[in-house]
Amino acid sequence: MENRVIIVGAGPVGLMLAGEIRLGGADVVVYDKLPAPSGESRALGFTKRVAEIFDQRGLLSRLGTIRWGQNGHFGGVGIDLSALAENHRGVLGLPQSRTEELLTEWITGLGVTIRRGYAATRLTEDPDHVTVHFDGPEGAFEDTAAYVVGCDGGGSTIRTAAGIKAPGWEATRGMFMADITGAEVGQRPTGQRIPGGNMILSVSLGDGYYRILIHDKSLPPRLERPLTYEDVADAWQRMTGESLHHAQARWICHFDNAAGLATHYRKDRVLLAGDAAHHTPPLAGWGLSAGIQDAANLGWKLAAVLGGRAPETLLDSYHAERHPIGQQLLRDTHAASTLYLTGDELEPLRATLRELLAYPDAAHHLAGHVSGLTVRYDMETGQEQPHPLLGCRIDPGTEFTLEDGTRTRIAELLLDGRPLHLTAPGSASAQPLPDGWADRVTAVSATHTPGEGSSAAPLPETLLIRPDGYLAWAPPATGATDGQADAEGLGRALTRWFGPAAVTA
């Protein structure tokens, strides 16, 4: 029973992580302090990269009809997404509760147990396992596993119990959020700046509901009494002159602008993901999206270690790869919030940024931050001229034709969560999958056939793609081939990411 993972927190990140671990063949259990899902939806969608991750697991199509954002921005400064060569548009207007429903259906179908009403209180760590202590429905309760992952939010009990610090900045202001019905609200999907460093946002959720968000500089970070809808309606009227007092709220929330980044995403047998690792104020679903990417990065690694296919040191790459992304998230959130929530004195900076974003390279750079498409990991191949796609995600819409004539996409080849070794048939320079890795890597022979929705960029004739969709190895971009060197390089990459070759008879 100890050769498994305990996840604390059944939000989108914890659920996604559980699915990734279970897909990799390892046992996992999820605990959450709430007796049932809250139904609240702080995030109303996710970035393009998260949509791709869901597509790679066959989940995107299960969401039903979704709405894709058409306008990009950074802190309210517009980005012309239509001018970019690649589609950076994310999903908008999708309640977080629906995303959680989908992920719950997925992981329960995989056999994952979710235990609700269990509040983690402390940890007991030993050299070969960790015990989590809970206050459960029937009192004190404990469970033991090889690893525990805290996905329990910005005030993470797991992070605190492990002694991991999360420095950042303290709260300086409060904010209100509500989903309301019974009133017509004008659309302000990217926000409307109000003089004095204030801002309001409103967007239709369908079925007569609207999400309103109020950034009022005068609101304190903490309230001395429970928030009421009258507080929210008063603040809205103060900002806009419009009364929403006659409306009804499905839920209301007060939050602040504090932020923090864990110093370590891993400490021995304790790991962190999502808000427990990088807590920021709600902003365009960035925090949720970064957390889903954490889960996609960590899940297959934990499963490989627990399954004995890879050494425990593989888990160190989780912090190495995702902590810099957390640093970038905090920087971007701080920058975007400053642009959003500062008065006219910052208009010269906004004007300068608008000028810069007229240049495609600058627009692509910031759009990549927002969409998550330009994340690149250091694969440490030692190649003098690595392929330009090395460490980047391979567009899951990239199309191939199998040797039997069937057309497929990268997303479909990654559905089972296994690494992918993809070679061009009949190529003299393609590197075959060496002996000893067929038990954990799927080898596919197929021809790149660009089509609608696919990447038209030239691809190397050998691709080693990790379960999270990132290119772990390809021949160097020299134009010339060295069969022996390429074979050795592929072997090193396979060993690094997926463990040593199995001994074959």
Side-chain angles (χ1 to χ4, degrees), residues 91-281:
V91 173
L92 294 181
L94 181 72
Q96 180 178 319
S97 57
R98 175 62 189 120
T99 304
E100 291 181 8
E101 288 173 5
L102 168 71
L103 293 173
T104 298
E105 293 167 1
W106 178 50
I107 69 171
T108 53
L110 293 173
V112 176
T113 297
I114 304 173
R115 307 191 70 174
R116 298 189 179 275
Y118 290 81
T121 58
R122 60 190 179 92
L123 301 174
T124 304
E125 296 184 68
D126 292 280
D128 60 351
H129 63 268
V130 59
T131 300
V132 185
H133 301 261
F134 297 93
D135 182 8
E138 298 179 356
F141 175 82
E142 62 183 50
D143 197 1
T144 300
Y147 297 94
V148 59
V149 187
C151 300
D152 50 341
S156 172
T157 299
I158 299 302
R159 187 186 67 226
T160 301
I164 301 174
K165 304 296 184 182
W169 61 82
E170 296 296 323
T172 60
R173 64 194 296 173
M175 309 172 195
F176 292 162
M177 182 186 293
D179 288 353
I180 67 171
T181 190
E184 292 292 329
V185 184
Q187 296 297 280
R188 305 168 178 89
T190 60
Q192 175 186 340
R193 193 172 295 106
I194 305 295
N198 303 313
M199 191 267 284
I200 57 170
L201 180 146
S202 55
V203 60
S204 173
L205 303 179
D207 297 326
Y209 276 93
Y210 296 87
R211 162 66 54 84
I212 62 172
L213 184 64
I214 302 166
H215 294 267
D216 183 344
K217 199 172 184 179
S218 68
L219 297 177
R222 302 285 185 270
L223 294 180
E224 300 299 325
R225 56 175 176 76
L227 178 66
T228 68
Y229 178 65
E230 186 175 4
D231 295 327
V232 176
D234 287 347
W236 183 267
Q237 189 167 26
R238 189 166 59 249
M239 293 287 100
T240 67
E242 304 169 1
S243 175
L244 296 178
H245 290 82
H246 58 288
Q248 300 83 47
R250 178 162 51 189
W251 68 279
I252 58 176
C253 177
H254 172 274
F255 58 95
D256 59 44
N257 64 338
L261 177 67
T263 55
H264 299 87
Y265 281 17
R266 180 196 178 197
K267 184 180 179 184
D268 301 322
R269 294 185 174 274
V270 179
L271 300 106
L272 304 173
D275 285 355
H278 42 74
H279 172 59
T280 63

Side-chain angles (χ1 to χ4, degrees), residues 359-373:
Y359 293 90
D361 287 349
H364 178 266
H365 178 77
L366 273 192
H369 280 215
V370 175
S371 67
L373 296 189

Side-chain angles (χ1 to χ4, degrees), residues 407-494:
R407 290 179 70 92
T408 188
R409 301 182 302 127
I410 288 290
E412 295 164 355
L413 297 174
L414 290 172
L415 288 177
D416 59 4
R418 283 169 57 92
L420 179 64
H421 175 268
L422 191 59
T423 56
S427 169
S429 61
Q431 287 296 319
L433 181 67
D435 292 337
W437 280 283
D439 64 324
R440 70 203 72 171
V441 179
T442 299
V444 175
S445 178
T447 302
H448 179 211
T449 49
E452 185 178 354
S454 300
S455 170
L459 292 176
E461 295 189 332
T462 304
L463 298 170
L464 180 63
I465 302 174
R466 305 191 320 188
D468 55 358
Y470 287 83
L471 184 61
W473 187 86
T478 58
T481 60
D482 183 332
Q484 181 176 348
D486 287 352
E488 292 173 353
L490 175 59
R492 286 193 298 270
L494 285 162

Side-chain angles (χ1 to χ4, degrees), residues 79 84 353 355-368:
I79 303 174
L84 303 180
L353 186 57
E355 291 180 4
L356 290 174
L357 289 176
Y359 293 90
D361 287 349
H364 178 266
H365 178 77
L366 273 192

